[in-house]
């Protein structure tokens, strides 16, 4: 009776429903976007607090059930249901988002929300516990990753409450956690595409030193090509433009497929040609000049990042590093 793959696990514990609604801190003037209302357990509570609830639900049977549940109540006039896939739906204006979503769409949904304009006040989202832990991880935590760095660039995130699997019917195979996401505005004034280029590179081997990562031949070759393009354009800002916040959520595998030059696919060639000599450089696939290698090394040494590891760097440090590279015309595209 449940749609396979739609993550239809209905939240049965009214205390948790209440707690989610409380933590949303709703005002009577708020427009709430609810994603995946299902049979409406959360929706009915949200309608008590907010001016309006706009619910996006993919499953027509759930839409019918929800309509039936509010029909004839005073709340009916305050509920708008959009039937469709939230990832393919243009989102309306909202102040607060509340979502108990299928876990497969966690990452694309998070970044879709963070790209939404105008910026909303907060999103209260139920995620798979492990995903939630990765989202809120701080520098030095074992779960610190590109996901945490990019999310936290765009938003403040905090863990609100862990929800055991037995609070759902049918119970999923994993536990859940409710997370609060508050978009930062204004965003830090950086080029998101370059930011993500640096972050991807640094987190390919998050426990290696940046010195080691930037000695990689494929990395040097890739960066020198960017550098030459930027020089040729006679401009510090090379082509490529900015990225949308949504791109920061793109999965690593997708980007690896976009780049056949190897810079993004180093994960597959452990310990490759780092020690290759000049002969190797000349004949090898990845060409770069000695002068460029030195330029990169100097940036890392001067800024004190050569022996640092991505796993321990905070956002401000990544920003400093990016700015240091920009000073000498090195870009991440
Ligand atoms: N909010 C309800 C609750 O807490 O009991 C139901 C939550 S259930 C985990 C997820 C809901 O999201 C289901 O109703 C499912 O049909 C819906 N859903 C799944 N994928 C969706 C998508 N891509 N866009 C919109 N809704 C989706």
């Amino acid at each position: 009776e449940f749609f396979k793959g739609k993550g239809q696990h209905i939240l049965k514990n009214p205390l948790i429903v209440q707690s989610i609604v409380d933590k949303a801190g709703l005002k009577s003037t708020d427009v709430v976007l609810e994603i995946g209302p299902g049979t409406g357990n959360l929706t009915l509570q949200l309608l008590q607090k907010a001016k309006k609830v706009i619910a996006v639900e993919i499953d027509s049977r759930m839409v019918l059930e929800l309509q039936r549940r509010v029909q004839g109540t005073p709340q009916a006039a305050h509920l708008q249901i959009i039937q469709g896939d939230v990832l393919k739906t243009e989102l309306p204006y909202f102040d607060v988002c509340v979502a108990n979503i299928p876990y497969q769409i966690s990452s694309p949904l998070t970044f879709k929300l963070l790209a939404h304009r105008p910026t909303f006040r907060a999103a209260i989202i139920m995620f798979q516990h492990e995903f939630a832990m990765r989202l809120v991880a701080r520098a030095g935590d074992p779960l610190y990753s590109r996901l945490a760095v990019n999310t936290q660039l765009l938003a403040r995130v905090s863990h609100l409450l862990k929800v055991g699997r037995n609070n759902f019917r049918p119970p999923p195979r994993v536990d859940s956690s409710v997370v609060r996401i508050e978009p930062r505005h204004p965003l830090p004034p950086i080029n998101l595409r370059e930011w993500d280029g640096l972050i991807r590179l640094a987190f390919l081997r998050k426990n290696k030193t940046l010195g080691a990562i930037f000695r990689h031949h494929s990395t040097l070759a890739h960066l020198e090509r960017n550098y030459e393009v930027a020089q040729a354009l006679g401009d510090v800002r090379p082509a490529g433009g900015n990225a949308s916040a949504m791109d920061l959520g793109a999965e690593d595998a997708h980007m690896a497929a976009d780049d056949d030059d190897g810079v993004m696919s180093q994960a597959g060639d452990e310990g490759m040609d780092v020690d290759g000599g000049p002969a190797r450089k000349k004949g090898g696939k990845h060409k770069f000049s000695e002068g460029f290698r030195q330029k990169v090394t100097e940036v890392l040494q001067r800024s004190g990042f050569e022996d640092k590891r991505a796993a321990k760097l905070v956002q401000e440090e990544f920003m400093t590093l990016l700015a240091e590279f920009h000073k000498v015309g090195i870009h991440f595209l």
Side-chain angles (χ1 to χ4, degrees), residues 6-11 36-38 56-59 84-86 100 102:
K6 293 272 181 294
Q8 289 175 332
H9 302 281
I10 301 302
L11 189 49
V56 182
E57 170 60 57
I58 200 169
D59 185 343
D85 179 344
V86 67
N100 174 9

Side-chain angles (χ1 to χ4, degrees), residues 72 128 167 185 242 253 257-258 294:
Q128 178 172 344
N167 293 295
H185 60 102
N242 206 343
D258 285 343
Q294 265 170 24

Side-chain angles (χ1 to χ4, degrees), residues 25 31 34 47 50 58 72 80 113 141 144 147-148 167-168 250 257 280 308 319 321 331:
V31 176
E34 186 186 1
L47 281 165
I58 200 169
Q80 178 190 343
L113 291 175
D141 290 358
Y144 195 51
L147 174 71
N167 293 295
F168 299 88
R280 173 70 199 263
K308 298 279 171 64
M319 284 188 187
L321 179 59
H331 291 273

Side-chain angles (χ1 to χ4, degrees), residues 5-6 10 38 103-104 110 150 163 266 293 307 314 317 320 329:
K6 293 272 181 294
I10 301 302
Y103 298 135
Q104 310 87 277
T110 300
N150 280 349
V163 183
Q266 290 173 12
R293 191 190 63 74
D307 300 322
V314 300
E317 291 174 300
T320 304

Side-chain angles (χ1 to χ4, degrees), residues 312-332:
K312 302 227 163 121
L313 293 182
V314 300
Q315 192 188 112
E316 289 71 23
E317 291 174 300
F318 284 119
M319 284 188 187
T320 304
L321 179 59
L322 187 58
E324 290 294 329
F325 276 118
H326 283 175
K327 277 187 199 160
V328 298
I330 296 176
H331 291 273
F332 296 82

Side-chain angles (χ1 to χ4, degrees), residues 44 47 65-76 79:
L44 291 186
L47 281 165
E65 171 74 21
L66 182 54
Q67 275 166 343
R68 204 174 299 134
R69 226 173 143 181
V70 293
Q71 227 164 50
T73 72
Q75 277 88 41
L79 174 64

